[in-house]
Amino acid sequence: GQNIDQPTEMTATEGAIVQINCTYQTSGFNGLFWYQQHAGEAPTFLSYNVLDGLEEKGRFSSFLSRSKGYSYLLLKELQMKDSASYLCAVMDSNYQLIWGAGTKLIIKP
Amino acid sequence: GAVVSQHPSRVICKSGTSVKIECRSLDFQATTMFWYRQFPKKSLMLMATSNEGSKATYEQGVEKDKFLINHASLTLSTLTVTSAHPEDSSFYICSARGQGQLTQETQYFGPGTRLLVL
């Protein structure tokens, strides 16, 4: 079967760095996405990785290792507004998105 | 770029009535649109995938006669919840992907429609 695993909840301090991990087992791979979803709102696109390595975009970076079936989202200089759920999703061989359950990130002052 | 709108943002209706939700891609042509529902504190659940000009593909367990999807143009898809019941109350979100974005594989989400059936 297809499976995406990410921690249910994480807590971090304002100004710090946090890494949210995602491991996956899917039938085929056509890229991995990270989305941010604030409570009561729809997801917003953060990043897309299809090749191994680190993609940096401002305070957010996303890493992919296809051989390990592993990705992480790194958030630096955390701000209170970063409190949200972070969704990992993998596009399988049929170009369907397989969604993780999301990681709720709580930022404390 | 890659803006998706959804209307209405919130709807309250009586049990037994039908509700139509519109999803529009504003600045790109969406060859594929997706409809999700999400219950509080739960993950996104894909309901169906629709390609412009063809019938929607429904996920297992989703009643196609209850959730009617029409994708008549490259910028508009509609979801009609027919004979809505309280258990249909949920957050419905559409997403779109297609031509003209940074990556053609990326799904861009509408803001969602919160449906409450009394």
Side-chain angles (χ1 to χ4, degrees), chain B residues 45-62:
Chain B
M45 187 193 83
L46 179 65
M47 298 175 67
T49 302
S50 74
N51 293 294
E52 185 265 337
S54 61
K55 290 184 178 180
T57 303
Y58 290 80
E59 296 299 301
Q60 195 172 7
V62 178

Side-chain angles (χ1 to χ4, degrees), chain A residues 30 33 35 37 39-45 47-48 57 87 91 94-97 99-102 104, chain B residues 6 34 36 38 41-44 46 49 59 91 93 97 102-103 105-112 114:
Chain A
N30 279 300
F33 297 80
Y35 284 84
Q37 186 176 25
E41 299 180 10
T44 55
F45 169 73
S47 67
Y48 170 65
K57 195 185 290 186
L87 309 175
M91 184 168 285
N94 294 320
Y95 290 89
Q96 293 278 64
L97 269 187
W99 291 89
K104 183 179 180 180
Chain B
Q6 229 178 295
F34 304 84
Y36 293 85
Q38 188 176 35
K41 299 183 180 179
K42 297 294 183 183
S43 183
L44 291 168
L46 179 65
T49 302
E59 296 299 301
F91 189 41
I93 316 171
R97 76 170 188 229
L102 183 63
T103 165
E105 287 73 37
T106 302
Q107 290 185 30
Y108 293 92
F109 285 84
R114 200 162 297 282

Side-chain angles (χ1 to χ4, degrees), chain A:
Chain A
Q2 309 207 88
N3 197 45
I4 310 283
D5 283 317
Q6 51 181 131
T8 304
E9 188 174 295
M10 299 182 70
T11 302
T13 306
E14 190 178 15
I17 299 173
V18 71
Q19 177 175 310
I20 303 174
N21 296 325
C22 171
T23 57
Y24 63 89
Q25 291 177 309
T26 57
S27 55
F29 179 83
N30 279 300
L32 184 144
F33 297 80
W34 284 97
Y35 284 84
Q36 179 191 61
Q37 186 176 25
H38 284 101
E41 299 180 10
T44 55
F45 169 73
L46 290 178
S47 67
Y48 170 65
N49 293 67
V50 67
L51 299 176
D52 289 349
L54 186 69
E55 296 271 349
E56 295 187 72
K57 195 185 290 186
R59 292 189 299 115
F60 293 4
S61 303
S62 56
F63 171 83
L64 175 68
S65 169
R66 288 172 297 172
S67 63
K68 295 181 180 177
Y70 167 70
S71 171
Y72 67 73
L73 180 69
L74 190 72
L75 292 77
K76 303 176 185 175
E77 301 169 19
L78 286 170
Q79 301 175 10
M80 297 303 293
K81 67 178 182 179
D82 297 330
S83 292
S85 286
Y86 291 85
L87 309 175
C88 173
V90 173
M91 184 168 285
D92 68 10
S93 56
N94 294 320
Y95 290 89
Q96 293 278 64
L97 269 187
I98 312 300
W99 291 89
T103 299
K104 183 179 180 180
L105 178 63
I106 300 168
I107 309 295
K108 295 185 175 179

Side-chain angles (χ1 to χ4, degrees), chain B:
Chain B
V3 179
V4 178
S5 71
Q6 229 178 295
H7 178 81
S9 58
R10 189 180 297 266
V11 59
I12 301 173
C13 68
K14 292 182 179 179
S15 186
T17 60
S18 294
V19 176
K20 180 186 279 189
I21 303 169
E22 291 187 349
C23 178
R24 293 181 185 272
S25 56
L26 299 185
D27 53 2
F28 66 99
Q29 293 185 322
T31 51
T32 307
M33 284 186 168
F34 304 84
W35 287 96
Y36 293 85
R37 68 187 295 183
Q38 188 176 35
F39 292 105
K41 299 183 180 179
K42 297 294 183 183
S43 183
L44 291 168
M45 187 193 83
L46 179 65
M47 298 175 67
T49 302
S50 74
N51 293 294
E52 185 265 337
S54 61
K55 290 184 178 180
T57 303
Y58 290 80
E59 296 299 301
Q60 195 172 7
V62 178
E63 300 174 57
K64 61 178 69 175
D65 293 331
K66 181 165 184 66
F67 298 99
L68 301 177
I69 291 171
N70 183 280
H71 191 167
S73 77
L74 283 172
T75 59
L76 173 65
S77 176
T78 60
L79 167 68
T80 301
V81 183
T82 62
S83 187
H85 290 285
E87 57 266 29
D88 298 324
S89 299
S90 189
F91 189 41
Y92 291 87
I93 316 171
C94 74
S95 70
R97 76 170 188 229
Q99 306 159 10
Q101 295 110 293
L102 183 63
T103 165
Q104 292 185 1
E105 287 73 37
T106 302
Q107 290 185 30
Y108 293 92
F109 285 84
T113 296
R114 200 162 297 282
L115 171 63
L116 177 61
V117 184
L118 302 176

